Amino acid sequence: MMQNDNNKESNLTGQTPPLPVLATSIATQMQSDISSIHIPQPEVYFDDSTLSPNLASKLAGDIIVACTVTFGFSPFLSVIDKAIIQKAAGTHSILQSSLESIVNITRNPGSYIRSPMFLMMWGVYASTYCTVNCLKTITEHQDHFKETNSPNTSNDARTFGVFATTTIVNSGTSMLKDRFYAKHFGNSTAAIKIPKLTYGLWGLRDCMVIGSSFVLPDLCCKVLTDNTKMDPKTALTVSQLTCPIVAQFLVAPVQLLGLDVYNRPLQNLPFREVITERLRFQRNNMISIVGARISRIAPAYGLGGIGNTYFRDKWRDQLLRKEMRRN
């Protein structure tokens, strides 16, 4: 009987391994099963353009992008601006002046690139885009890498600072360009010295253009994202295209009045007749000037703004990838 008990014990021992051996076998099997499971890794997107700590490289990209983008659309703007000046002076129609300029540019592209007509136009928009790009980069960089004890500046104050500085740069360079265009393409019987009222109206025009091109799109983007199903990128694109164009219905009369004051001082007429003449001039030229300004503002701040944002983000994305590979 004792022999039968020993046989049963030996059979049980052969069928069921000891507990430590069983635990080790189970753990090994679980590890093998888990390691065979493929877990997909998410792709990395660099949504935050301020992540790179290299401020100098970001500013260099801002300047390169600004000069490149504005070089592309400045020839078209110079043609339209010359046409507006000559239309206001009564020497050409918008179409006649534009075709004449395009023919001259096609025949002598090298001479055109070196001419003040192009260089002054390119200088206006290159300096404007460089200013707004660099100011936005500096404020974003300070926000991202600021110390905990550093004082906070309100977004409204920063927005106003960008707007004011950009307007000063744009208005100053635009007035130099407008004075050259008015004297070279305007009425030969116009005043030798440009009146202060004309400069004031041109300054008001520039404030409206900069506000509708660089400040208003951000505000409209926020309204669209809060009240519609648009994603922020689409809302910003729509705002950048729409705001500058709509603003031209207010900007065009201001520029037209400034040109009319320069071309026709009307100093010997009574005040009431001067007002009547100015209003008649506005009525006769408003549609063509508004159309011309919309056709120039769409590439200058609409498509130009979209291209500037796109290539600026691309530059920063490549900069960040390069820094990650180094580390």
Side-chain angles (χ1 to χ4, degrees):
M1 187 162 184
M2 185 177 297
Q3 184 177 0
N4 292 336
D5 292 340
N6 290 335
N7 290 335
K8 290 180 180 179
E9 183 177 356
S10 62
N11 291 335
L12 290 171
T13 305
Q15 294 174 359
T16 307
L19 185 61
V21 176
L22 181 62
T24 303
S25 176
I26 293 173
T28 303
Q29 183 64 32
M30 290 178 64
Q31 183 177 4
S32 176
D33 293 340
I34 292 173
S35 62
S36 64
I37 299 174
H38 175 68
I39 302 176
Q41 298 296 321
E43 296 184 13
V44 179
Y45 296 96
F46 303 115
D47 290 333
D48 192 346
S49 61
T50 64
L51 287 174
S52 173
N54 194 338
L55 179 60
S57 295
K58 289 192 287 189
L59 292 175
D62 288 339
I63 295 172
I64 292 172
V65 168
C67 293
T68 303
V69 169
T70 55
F71 184 88
F73 62 69
S74 290
F76 179 75
L77 302 189
S78 67
V79 171
I80 298 299
D81 265 25
K82 179 183 176 182
I84 291 174
I85 297 292
Q86 292 184 327
K87 170 65 176 177
T91 59
H92 295 69
S93 67
I94 295 291
L95 182 60
Q96 180 185 0
S97 175
S98 299
L99 291 176
E100 183 180 293
S101 297
I102 292 171
V103 169
N104 291 334
I105 293 172
T106 305
R107 288 177 177 174
N108 301 294
S111 299
Y112 168 74
I113 294 297
R114 296 189 298 269
S115 69
M117 177 181 171
F118 169 76
L119 293 176
M120 297 192 78
M121 181 65 70
W122 184 30
V124 170
Y125 287 95
S127 60
T128 300
Y129 272 88
C130 283
T131 301
V132 71
N133 283 354
C134 292
L135 288 177
K136 284 186 175 181
T137 293
I138 292 171
T139 55
E140 290 169 357
H141 187 86
Q142 290 175 345
D143 279 343
H144 193 81
F145 296 100
K146 68 181 178 181
E147 299 179 358
T148 54
N149 296 328
S150 60
N152 293 325
T153 306
S154 66
N155 290 332
D156 291 340
R158 290 181 177 181
T159 301
F160 178 76
V162 172
F163 167 72
T165 307
T166 306
T167 301
I168 291 172
V169 172
N170 177 266
S171 186
T173 54
S174 291
M175 287 186 185
L176 292 175
K177 182 263 298 178
D178 289 337
R179 184 174 65 181
F180 173 83
Y181 274 57
K183 287 184 175 296
H184 285 77
F185 308 126
N187 196 334
S188 59
T189 61
I192 298 176
K193 186 177 181 180
I194 296 179
K196 293 180 180 179
L197 179 57
T198 296
Y199 280 125
L201 291 167
W202 286 348
L204 176 60
R205 173 206 62 189
D206 296 333
C207 289
M208 297 166 70
V209 169
I210 295 301
S212 64
S213 302
F214 294 109
V215 178
L216 195 57
D218 292 334
L219 301 178
C220 289
C221 175
K222 187 176 186 306
V223 172
L224 289 175
T225 53
D226 290 344
N227 297 279
T228 67
K229 295 182 179 180
M230 284 188 187
D231 60 275
K233 187 175 182 180
T234 303
L236 182 59
T237 300
V238 171
S239 301
Q240 286 178 322
L241 282 172
T242 306
C243 292
I245 292 175
V246 173
Q248 297 315 300
F249 290 93
L250 299 176
V251 174
V254 175
Q255 182 183 18
L256 196 55
L257 180 58
L259 289 171
D260 191 29
V261 170
Y262 169 68
N263 289 320
R264 301 190 307 160
L266 302 179
Q267 296 177 348
N268 298 325
L269 293 179
F271 179 75
R272 189 170 291 181
E273 290 186 23
V274 170
I275 297 298
T276 303
E277 281 295 318
R278 301 293 187 209
L279 291 175
R280 183 182 295 112
F281 181 80
Q282 291 276 344
R283 186 184 67 241
N284 294 336
N285 296 277
M286 179 62 65
I287 295 177
S288 59
I289 298 299
V290 168
R293 283 204 60 87
I294 289 176
S295 67
R296 83 181 290 282
I297 210 68
Y301 290 115
L303 298 176
I306 294 171
N308 177 68
T309 301
Y310 174 81
F311 289 112
R312 190 165 168 254
D313 290 343
K314 282 290 185 182
W315 175 278
R316 294 178 174 204
D317 182 73
Q318 292 300 319
L319 178 63
L320 186 57
R321 290 178 186 275
K322 187 181 296 185
E323 291 176 357
M324 291 180 67
R325 285 195 295 268
R326 288 177 183 173
N327 298 330

